[in-house]
Amino acid sequence: MDHLIAPEERAKTASKRIIGSLNGAQDGPLLILIAGLHGNESAGVAAVENVLAKIEQTSAPFSGKIFAIRANLSALKKNVRYIDEDMNRIWFPSIIDEIRSTPEHAIESSERLEIKQLLHILDQLKNETPYPTILADVHTFSAEGSMFTLPNVSQDEIELLSKIYAPMVLGIGESLRGTLLKYYHRKGLLSFGLEGGQHKNNLTEQNITALLMVLLQAAGCIDSDDYPEMDDYRAHLKQQTHRLPVKTELVYQHIIEEGDDFQMRPDYHNFQRIKEGEWLASDQNGKIVAQCDGYILMPLYQSQGNDGFFIIKEQ
Ligand SMILES: [Zn+2]
C-alpha cells in the first residue's frame, strides 16, 4: 500500500483524541469514525488516518462531514485492550449517565474517564441535514481470518453494508452487551462495527482503508471518478472475501467467566467450518465442544476479552 503518512507524523499525533475532521462543500451524511476503542487495535487508527489523508490529498468534492476519533488513548499508548475494564462493554445508559454526572477527578476507571472525554466530543456533533449520521466503529481481532461487518438489525445498515464487499454477520451486535454501537443505535444513528483483520496482520490496515473508502462512496460522500485507486480497493476487498458467505447470523456465543482459564485450541480462523461436537477450546471445567455445525468467528487468542468464540450460520 502507498504510504500516505510518514511514521514520524503518525507518532506526533498519536496522543490526540481527534484524528481529524472534514467538512465537505456539499451536504451529505455525517460520518463518525471511532478507532482504538480497544487499545491493541491500532491498525484501525492507522487506516482512518490514511482515509483522511487520502481525501485531503485528492481535494475532490466531498459531500457531508467526517469526524474521526481515537477512543481509548491510554490503552492505545500501552498497546493493551484496556487498562481497567473493557471500554466496549460499559455503554449502558445507567453507567453513561453516572459518567456524565461525575467530575473527571472523581472517576477511578481509566476507561470511564476516556468515555467522559469522548462524550464531550460526541455530544457536540450535530447533524442538521436530512442525511443520516453514520457511526462506524473500527476493530481488529486476535485470530487470523477474514474481515467482516457487524450491523444491527436495521434495514438501512444492512443495505449500506451490502455495498462494501465484506461478509455481514448479524446478531452479534445485539448479543454483545454494553457496546458503544448499541448505545448509538438506540439513539437513532446508523451504527455498525467494521472488523478489519488480525491485529498485527500486514493486510489489516489496507483492508480497513479499503472498507472505509468504499463505504464513503456507498454513503454518497465521494465519487469514484475522483479516486482512480477505488478500483484497486474494490478488487482487494473482493479478492479477500469472495469465498465467504455474504450474510450470516449468530447461533452461539461462548462467554468466558472470571477465572475460567479459557484456552482456545490452536489455529482456528474466522469463517472456518466446524462440526457439532468438535473440540474447540478448554477451560477449568474441561473440554468445550461446538454446540452445532457452522462457521467459527473471532476465536480468542489473547488474554484480555470475555468472548471465547462465536458460531455463525449462513442466512
Ligand atoms: Zn475491538
Side-chain angles (χ1 to χ4, degrees), residues 19-75:
I19 301 173
S21 63
L22 258 162
N23 213 338
Q26 292 100 339
D27 275 353
L30 166 61
L31 199 77
I32 302 169
L33 303 177
I34 305 281
L37 198 49
H38 294 133
N40 59 334
E41 302 181 9
S42 58
V45 178
V48 171
E49 290 172 340
N50 292 340
V51 167
L52 288 170
K54 173 71 69 187
I55 296 166
E56 271 164 19
Q57 286 169 18
T58 307
S59 66
F62 189 86
S63 304
K65 290 179 184 174
I66 298 186
F67 212 89
I69 299 170
R70 285 180 192 83
N72 195 339
L73 284 176
S74 316

Side-chain angles (χ1 to χ4, degrees), residues 17-306:
R17 173 79 56 197
I18 296 169
I19 301 173
S21 63
L22 258 162
N23 213 338
Q26 292 100 339
D27 275 353
L30 166 61
L31 199 77
I32 302 169
L33 303 177
I34 305 281
L37 198 49
H38 294 133
N40 59 334
E41 302 181 9
S42 58
V45 178
V48 171
E49 290 172 340
N50 292 340
V51 167
L52 288 170
K54 173 71 69 187
I55 296 166
E56 271 164 19
Q57 286 169 18
T58 307
S59 66
F62 189 86
S63 304
K65 290 179 184 174
I66 298 186
F67 212 89
I69 299 170
R70 285 180 192 83
N72 195 339
L73 284 176
S74 316
L76 278 165
K77 202 168 163 193
K78 294 193 168 154
N79 191 30
V80 291
R81 184 175 169 92
Y82 57 81
I83 308 280
D84 293 317
E85 56 190 328
D86 193 323
M87 192 174 165
N88 201 24
R89 297 291 184 276
I90 48 178
W91 288 80
F92 298 102
S94 56
I95 294 182
I96 297 299
D97 288 349
E98 188 190 309
I99 292 172
R100 283 183 195 282
S101 60
T102 309
E104 283 197 8
H105 66 83
I107 295 180
E108 285 172 9
S109 147
S110 175
E111 275 68 29
R112 291 183 194 212
L113 186 58
E114 297 275 349
I115 288 179
K116 186 158 181 94
Q117 292 167 356
L118 193 59
L119 287 169
H120 284 314
I121 297 168
L122 292 176
D123 288 352
Q124 306 282 321
L125 298 178
K126 299 269 180 287
N127 181 2
E128 275 147 4
T129 74
Y131 295 92
T133 301
I134 300 169
L135 187 148
D137 183 20
V138 177
H139 289 262
T140 59
F141 40 79
S142 63
E144 287 296 341
S146 173
M147 65 188 106
F148 56 94
T149 64
L150 295 174
N152 294 285
V153 179
S154 135
Q155 212 39 53
D156 292 341
E157 289 173 18
I158 293 169
E159 206 178 300
L160 181 61
L161 293 179
S162 67
K163 297 174 185 161
I164 68 169
Y165 310 104
M168 238 183 286
V169 182
L170 298 169
I172 291 184
E174 284 72 23
S175 80
L176 294 177
R177 300 185 67 233
T179 64
L180 172 142
L181 279 185
K182 208 185 251 180
Y183 182 84
Y184 283 101
H185 177 71
R186 289 200 178 123
K187 289 193 175 291
L189 273 59
L190 290 187
S191 57
F192 45 82
L194 296 180
E195 295 278 353
Q198 203 275 343
H199 300 320
K200 299 285 167 215
N201 190 303
N202 286 336
L203 281 180
T204 300
E205 180 183 332
Q206 191 180 347
N207 295 343
I208 302 170
T209 305
L211 281 173
L212 290 173
M213 289 299 288
V214 176
L215 175 72
L216 284 173
Q217 192 225 330
C221 300
I222 58 173
D223 190 331
S224 259
D225 294 345
D226 296 323
Y227 294 84
E229 60 276 51
M230 203 57 103
D231 285 341
D232 297 336
Y233 290 138
R234 271 191 222 100
H236 172 78
L237 295 173
K238 283 186 194 168
Q239 193 251 333
Q240 293 293 312
T241 62
H242 74 289
R243 288 176 200 282
L244 301 172
V246 173
K247 214 187 211 182
T248 51
E249 63 183 345
L250 176 70
V251 285
Y252 181 81
Q253 173 185 13
H254 182 85
I255 297 169
I256 302 171
E257 304 288 349
E258 187 90 29
D260 265 358
D261 194 23
F262 175 87
Q263 295 286 338
M264 192 71 212
R265 296 192 72 213
D267 300 326
Y268 279 102
H269 57 85
N270 281 350
F271 297 99
Q272 183 172 334
R273 280 179 188 278
I274 52 161
K275 289 265 170 223
E276 185 177 345
E278 187 171 331
W279 178 21
L280 300 175
S282 301
D283 68 11
Q284 57 153 5
N285 301 311
K287 285 184 178 180
I288 300 164
V289 300
Q291 306 286 315
C292 55
D293 291 355
Y295 301 93
I296 196 161
L297 198 73
M298 289 194 282
L300 189 73
Y301 291 109
Q302 62 188 15
S303 55
Q304 288 183 313
N306 297 86

